[in-house]
């Protein structure tokens, strides 16, 4: 019997209540859940809810519009993580609605997989401005900070759309109805920021939680831990990913991030402003800050109604309020080939993950 | 950047536009590198081929890879094996290749020779003759170093699999080795993720496996799971036959490093390319026989029965280790590493 099967057996033998809802906040977790088919094999009382785990999905429309506008100058090379190229913004007919469209129209837009590639492209193109549109959570912020700490070429500029995960969860828990009874905390984020960052879930909200890794066994172990806490009414912070996650996290990465970034109240697309949930560049990096160096070009893009496309329910999907299949566009107007909302674009997006795993109709 | 001028740059050991101009530099390049390592006759414009008995099978393929050299092969071996494998899985014995080299100005000649040499060796090992070729030089910045375009001709074997139309529910799907090795080795070789490993590409000829399979009368279909990997071949079968294809997660042979690297980066190994693998569909009664025959071949130790064709709506279903089910859909965009 595999380790995962052992945990599954243990979960099946628990005296579960009629309904128990567990939120995860990492696209990687949601992907592992879908890949392993966990929803098929878990007892029907358990509902696994994908929550705010997709940085591409919550990237403000203003940042996307700024990136598109910056790509229009032939002196600029715009680089971004691959997912970001496909995310559509709301624009008037005839205007460029995504970076992918800008590229097809002739802009020099390049997909990268790691921050170091951005620095490399800048060094290889000294006569151009290279603009790195960096969207991501703490797991992306850490390598971006490491790149900045190493020193970057003069011609590399950053358009940061980096977010912290826990403030979104705090916002859900502070709302009238959280909508879930337990939380699976993100393993990669916790490996950087430390498991302790999630203690507020227990101490302030009395909610059970466990940090999980990305294998079915690790996810099921964490789920079992959360369910037992719920059944015993003894919430605590559990770490089901101890091989990678320490209570204090990666202190070197944290201090590096603190040196390069300051926190600010950031916009989340379709959701609104969440206090202290974003990273922005500290003043010593002003010469590399798109907001400073290209202020005139991107003027008017920010705060331009951080809305999802009309009819699109991505915001409620991101916050775990509805499941992907409950959106009326899912699988009809909105598919990976013709995505309307960002959740159907990104490989971290719940809609895309459900679609790729074969979910074709309402669950 | 100014273009490199013939004499001085050539003396520095890099390709110049003059190497593609039809003159002396080009003649010397063909003589000293391509003709030497490919064993071909550079004095003719076109090759005369001997008369074949039976049907000729013809294919063409283009090769772009970054990096050009990787653990387990290079663009040269990839070009030979990729073309040879397309012929082999079609039930043909590969015989002749024609190769066009598109070289970017500034490419190091020593590196070109290294690749030409391994390409020539791979062709000899596969028993194919390189009978024609062409060289073009692209101005600097307009090419990725080196692209290869290959055409191949083979002769159809008597045991060639009949194809989709012969596949029936109940037929069994086999693969001759671990999945996703090439795709993962290439990822590692790009050194973009700070990950290391000693994984090597599976780049190889599958002809020994296809010819072994052709001895089985129940062989229905063969395909090499290159771009798009195992999941894409399973989708081709499912759509081609209009049947359900079920794969068993626990049966899929995966190298431990491929599994862990895909876990870290969020890739699905079932969609990553293989370059020395063949997927076969065979009547269920002969599956065990083919499995035994494949496992007895060098490199076939991890051959496995991975799934079957079933009656039902055309879709590919993976039965997971835990007993859940997941649809393996056709790829939409290129797979991307996770950023969360």
């Amino acid at each position: 019997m595999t380790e995962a099967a052992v945990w599954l057996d243990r979960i099946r033998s628990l005296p579960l209540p009629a309904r128990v809802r567990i939120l995860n906040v990492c696209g990687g977790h949601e992907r592992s859940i879908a890949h392993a088919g966990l929803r098929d094999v878990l007892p029907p009382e358990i509902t696994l809810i994908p929550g705010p785990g997709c940085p591409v999905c919550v990237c403000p429309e203003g940042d996307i519009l700024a990136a598109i506008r910056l790509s229009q100058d032939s002196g600029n090379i715009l680089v971004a993580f691959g997912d970001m190229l496909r995310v559509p913004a709301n624009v008037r007919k005839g205007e460029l609605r995504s970076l992918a469209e800008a590229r097809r129209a002739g802009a020099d837009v390049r997909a990268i997989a790691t921050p170091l590639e951005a620095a490399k492209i800048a060094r290889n193109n000294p006569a151009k401005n290279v603009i790195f549109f960096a969207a991501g959570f703490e797991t992306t912020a850490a390598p971006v900070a490491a790149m900045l700490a190493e020193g970057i070429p003069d011609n590399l500029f950053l358009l940061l759309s980096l977010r912290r995960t826990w403030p979104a969860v705090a916002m859900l828990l502070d709302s009238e109805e959280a909508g879930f009874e337990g939380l699976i905390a993100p393993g990669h984020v916790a490996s950087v920021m430390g498991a302790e960052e999630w203690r507020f879930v227990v101490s302030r909200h009395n909610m059970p939680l466990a940090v999980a890794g990305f294998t079915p066994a690790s996810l099921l172990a964490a789920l079992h831990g959360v369910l037992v806490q719920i059944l015993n009414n003894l919430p605590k912070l559990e770490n089901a990913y101890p091989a990678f996650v320490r209570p204090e996290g990666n202190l070197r990465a944290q201090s590096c991030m603190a040196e390069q970034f300051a926190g600010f109240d950031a916009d989340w697309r379709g959701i609104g402003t969440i206090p202290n949930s974003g990273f922005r560049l500290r003043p010593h990096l002003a010469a590399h800050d798109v907001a400073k160096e290209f202020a005139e070009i991107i003027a008017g893009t920010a705060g331009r109604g951080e809305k999802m496309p009309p009819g699109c329910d991505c915001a409620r999907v991101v916050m775990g309020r509805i499941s992907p299949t409950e959106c009326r566009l899912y699988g009809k107007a909105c598919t990976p080939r013709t995505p309307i909302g960002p959740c159907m674009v990104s490989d971290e997006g719940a809609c895309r993950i459900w679609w790729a795993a074969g979910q074709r109709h309402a669950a | 950047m100014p273009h490199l001028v013939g004499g001085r740059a050539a003396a520095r050991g890099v390709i110049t536009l003059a190497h593609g101009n039809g003159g002396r530099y080009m003649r010397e390049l063909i003589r000293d590198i391509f003709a030497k390592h490919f064993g071909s006759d550079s004095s003719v414009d076109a090759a005369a081929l001997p008369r074949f008995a039976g049907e000729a099978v013809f294919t063409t393929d283009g090769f772009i890879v970054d990096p050009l050299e990787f653990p387990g092969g290079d663009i040269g071996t990839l070009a030979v094996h990729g073309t040879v494998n397309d012929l082999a899985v079609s039930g043909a014995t590969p015989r002749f290749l024609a190769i066009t080299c598109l070289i970017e100005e500034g490419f190091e000649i020593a590196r070109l020779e290294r690749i030409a040499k391994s390409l020539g060796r791979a062709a000899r090992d596969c028993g194919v003759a390189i009978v024609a070729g062409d060289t073009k030089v692209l101005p600097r910045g307009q090419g990725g170093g080196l692209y290869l375009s290959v055409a191949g001709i083979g002769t159809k074997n008597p045991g060639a699999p009949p194809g989709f139309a012969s596949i029936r529910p109940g037929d069994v799907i086999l693969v001759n080795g671990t999945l996703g090795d090439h795709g993962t080795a290439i990822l590692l070789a790009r050194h973009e993720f700070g990950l290391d490993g000693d994984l090597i590409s599976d780049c190889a000829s599958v002809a020994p496996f296809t010819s072994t399979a052709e001895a089985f009368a129940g062989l229905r279909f063969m395909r090499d799971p290159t771009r798009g990997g195992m999941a894409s071949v399973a989708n081709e079968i499912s759509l081609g036959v209009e049947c359900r294809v079920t794969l068993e997660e626990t049966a899929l042979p995966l190298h431990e490093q491929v599994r862990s690297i895909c876990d870290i980066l969020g890739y699905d190994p079932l969609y990553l390319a293989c370059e020395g693998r063949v997927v076969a569909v065979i009547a269920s009664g002969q599956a065990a026989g083919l499995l035994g025959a494949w496992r007895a071949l060098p490199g076939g130790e991890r051959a496995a029965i991975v799934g079957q064709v079933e009656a039902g709506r055309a879709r590919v279903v993976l039965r997971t280790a835990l007993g859940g089910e997941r649809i393996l859909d056709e790829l939409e965009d290129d797979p991307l590493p996770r950023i969360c």
Side-chain angles (χ1 to χ4, degrees), chain A residues 196-287:
Chain A
E196 282 301 317
E197 195 184 50
W198 294 88
R199 184 166 293 284
F200 76 96
V201 176
V202 184
S203 59
R204 271 200 357 236
H205 302 279
N206 212 32
M207 177 172 286
L209 87 152
V211 179
F214 294 84
T215 61
S218 181
L219 275 162
L220 288 170
L223 180 60
H224 179 266
V226 170
L227 293 170
V228 169
Q229 291 179 46
I230 292 172
L231 289 171
N232 297 338
N233 197 20
L234 281 175
K236 59 176 179 177
L237 169 59
E238 235 173 276
N239 184 0
Y241 199 33
F244 285 93
V245 176
R246 282 173 302 185
E248 74 283 8
N250 182 337
L251 293 175
R252 232 181 85 215
Q254 289 167 36
S255 77
C256 181
M257 287 158 76
E259 280 161 24
Q260 312 299 332
F261 304 138
F264 77 109
D265 301 346
D267 287 334
W268 293 53
R269 188 175 187 185
I271 293 160
T273 306
I274 303 183
N276 198 26
S277 65
F279 292 109
R280 68 166 160 223
L281 294 175
R282 287 201 178 274
H284 72 275
L285 291 164

Side-chain angles (χ1 to χ4, degrees), chain A residues 4-5 26 28 31 34-36 38 40-41 53 83 86 113-114 117 135 139-140 188 220 336 348 352 356-358 360, chain B residues 192-193 249 263-268 315 318 320 322-329 332-340:
Chain A
C26 171
R31 197 138 51 138
H35 275 199
L38 291 191
D40 286 350
V41 295
D83 271 359
R86 305 193 293 248
T114 64
E117 275 179 87
T139 41
T140 302
H188 288 144
L220 288 170
E348 319 276 324
R352 177 62 174 259
R360 290 292 182 269
Chain B
E192 284 166 0
F193 301 102
E249 188 174 38
D263 270 351
I264 293 169
L265 297 177
Y267 286 106
D268 187 339
R315 53 182 5 195
L318 178 75
T320 69
L322 289 167
E325 286 193 346
R326 166 160 70 103
I327 308 293
L328 295 176
D329 211 352
E332 292 282 348
D333 305 283
D334 278 347
L336 297 166
R338 70 162 132 247
I339 59 176
C340 159

Side-chain angles (χ1 to χ4, degrees), chain A:
Chain A
M1 211 170 180
T2 63
E3 198 192 336
V6 171
W7 286 114
L8 183 60
D9 259 19
R10 287 184 192 162
I11 290 170
R12 282 176 173 158
S13 61
L14 292 174
L16 295 170
R19 182 177 77 161
V20 55
R21 297 164 299 177
I22 311 295
L23 185 85
N24 72 68
V25 289
C26 171
H29 279 164
E30 184 53 30
R31 197 138 51 138
S32 296
I33 289 167
H35 275 199
L38 291 191
R39 287 189 178 87
D40 286 350
V41 295
L42 284 169
E45 294 88 342
I46 301 172
T47 304
L48 299 179
I49 303 174
C54 169
V56 170
C57 302
V58 300
C59 176
E61 195 183 20
D63 290 353
I64 299 168
L65 292 171
I68 293 172
R69 208 177 279 179
L70 288 162
S71 76
Q72 296 304 295
D73 186 327
S74 63
N76 296 345
I77 301 173
L78 196 295
V79 302
F81 297 123
D83 271 359
M84 226 38 249
L85 270 49
R86 305 193 293 248
V87 180
N90 298 309
V91 292
R92 275 194 296 276
K93 215 172 164 179
E95 289 177 27
L96 296 168
R97 64 194 293 259
S98 69
L99 285 167
E101 275 195 16
R103 177 158 75 178
R104 281 195 289 275
D108 194 344
V109 175
R110 304 185 192 182
I112 57 171
T114 64
L116 290 180
E117 275 179 87
K120 194 166 126 192
I121 290 170
R123 272 190 283 274
N124 291 343
N125 296 276
K128 300 254 186 173
N129 300 318
V130 174
I131 293 153
F132 177 19
F133 180 20
F137 286 140
E138 296 91 333
T139 41
T140 302
V144 172
M147 173 192 78
L148 293 170
E150 271 182 26
I152 58 172
D154 291 343
N155 62 328
L156 181 60
F157 303 90
L158 286 98
L159 172 57
L160 288 192
S161 205
L162 298 172
R163 298 290 180 268
R164 315 187 69 164
T165 321
W166 72 263
V169 175
M171 183 171 138
L172 275 174
L173 290 170
D174 284 332
S175 67
E176 218 157 275
E177 153 80 63
F180 52 97
E181 286 76 44
L183 178 78
I184 302 285
H188 288 144
V189 171
S191 71
V192 178
M193 306 306 290
E196 282 301 317
E197 195 184 50
W198 294 88
R199 184 166 293 284
F200 76 96
V201 176
V202 184
S203 59
R204 271 200 357 236
H205 302 279
N206 212 32
M207 177 172 286
L209 87 152
V211 179
F214 294 84
T215 61
S218 181
L219 275 162
L220 288 170
L223 180 60
H224 179 266
V226 170
L227 293 170
V228 169
Q229 291 179 46
I230 292 172
L231 289 171
N232 297 338
N233 197 20
L234 281 175
K236 59 176 179 177
L237 169 59
E238 235 173 276
N239 184 0
Y241 199 33
F244 285 93
V245 176
R246 282 173 302 185
E248 74 283 8
N250 182 337
L251 293 175
R252 232 181 85 215
Q254 289 167 36
S255 77
C256 181
M257 287 158 76
E259 280 161 24
Q260 312 299 332
F261 304 138
F264 77 109
D265 301 346
D267 287 334
W268 293 53
R269 188 175 187 185
I271 293 160
T273 306
I274 303 183
N276 198 26
S277 65
F279 292 109
R280 68 166 160 223
L281 294 175
R282 287 201 178 274
H284 72 275
L285 291 164
H288 295 282
D289 193 342
V290 160
K292 306 272 189 314
E293 289 297 307
F294 298 90
E296 277 169 39
I297 297 171
I298 63 172
T301 53
R304 196 189 112 147
E306 299 303 350
K307 288 198 188 70
M308 292 294 180
C312 163
D313 249 335
C314 274
R316 292 205 293 155
V317 171
V318 168
M319 295 309 266
R321 297 302 193 191
I322 62 168
S323 73
T325 48
E326 287 175 89
C327 173
R328 60 198 166 89
L329 300 184
Y330 181 89
K332 298 187 181 86
C334 186
T335 67
R337 192 165 298 180
T338 54
I340 291 177
C343 297
M344 191 58 94
V345 174
S346 170
D347 283 343
E348 319 276 324
C351 297
R352 177 62 174 259
I353 293 168
W354 282 37
W355 182 269
Q359 191 75 44
R360 290 292 182 269
H361 46 75

Side-chain angles (χ1 to χ4, degrees), chain B residues 53-339:
Chain B
E55 271 182 284
V57 180
F58 183 40
T59 186
T60 183
D61 208 343
F63 297 88
I64 296 170
V65 65
D66 172 30
L68 293 169
E69 296 168 280
F70 48 82
D74 58 40
I75 191 171
T77 60
L78 194 65
V80 170
H81 294 142
T83 312
V84 160
N85 290 349
D86 282 348
L87 294 168
V89 297
S90 309
T93 301
R95 303 280 298 273
F96 304 103
L97 301 181
I99 297 184
T100 295
C101 297
L102 301 158
I103 317 168
E104 186 180 354
E105 181 189 16
F107 198 80
E108 196 193 340
I109 290 175
R111 193 175 191 205
L112 184 67
E113 175 154 26
R114 205 159 61 230
I115 290 169
K117 194 171 167 185
S118 77
L119 190 157
R121 191 184 312 122
R124 281 193 297 283
D125 290 348
C126 293
V128 291
I130 301 168
V131 293
D134 187 32
T135 306
K136 291 281 185 292
V137 178
L138 298 148
R140 190 190 277 269
Q142 291 182 28
L146 177 64
Y147 302 144
L148 297 177
S149 170
V150 184
I153 294 178
T155 47
K156 191 108 170 184
N157 300 325
F164 284 143
S166 64
I167 297 178
R168 301 277 172 271
D171 286 351
V172 168
I173 301 171
L174 284 87
V175 66
N176 68 326
T178 49
L179 297 165
D181 293 10
H182 177 74
T184 313
I186 292 290
L187 279 178
L188 286 180
R190 285 186 193 148
H191 298 292
E192 284 166 0
F193 301 102
L195 295 171
D196 281 320
D198 48 17
L199 193 72
I200 60 170
S201 164
D202 55 323
C203 186
S205 164
V206 298
F209 293 91
T210 54
S211 59
T212 301
E214 284 163 15
F216 291 80
L219 180 69
R220 316 282 201 211
F221 171 82
M222 295 189 288
R223 182 77 90 214
D224 47 341
T226 53
R227 261 179 313 184
M230 178 73 215
S232 300
V233 171
N235 268 290
E236 268 184 81
I237 295 170
S238 167
L239 291 170
V241 187
E242 292 184 1
C243 269
R244 173 180 158 122
V245 166
T246 301
L247 300 179
E248 298 290 340
E249 188 174 38
T250 49
L252 294 164
L254 287 178
H255 198 289
E256 202 41 54
Q257 277 194 39
V258 170
R259 198 188 295 274
S260 58
I261 287 160
C262 286
D263 270 351
I264 293 169
L265 297 177
Y267 286 106
D268 187 339
L270 296 182
Y271 289 91
L272 293 181
C274 310
E275 290 294 344
R277 300 293 179 241
V278 55
V279 175
V281 181
I282 192 167
S284 62
Q286 298 186 357
L290 178 56
L291 178 66
W294 273 4
R295 284 193 173 162
L297 291 173
E301 299 79 8
R302 295 201 61 186
I305 292 174
V306 295
Q308 61 179 342
V309 179
E310 294 169 357
R313 193 154 67 83
R315 53 182 5 195
V316 179
V317 177
L318 178 75
R319 216 164 0 237
T320 69
L322 289 167
E325 286 193 346
R326 166 160 70 103
I327 308 293
L328 295 176
D329 211 352
E330 288 182 279
L331 270 186
E332 292 282 348
D333 305 283
D334 278 347
L336 297 166
R338 70 162 132 247
I339 59 176

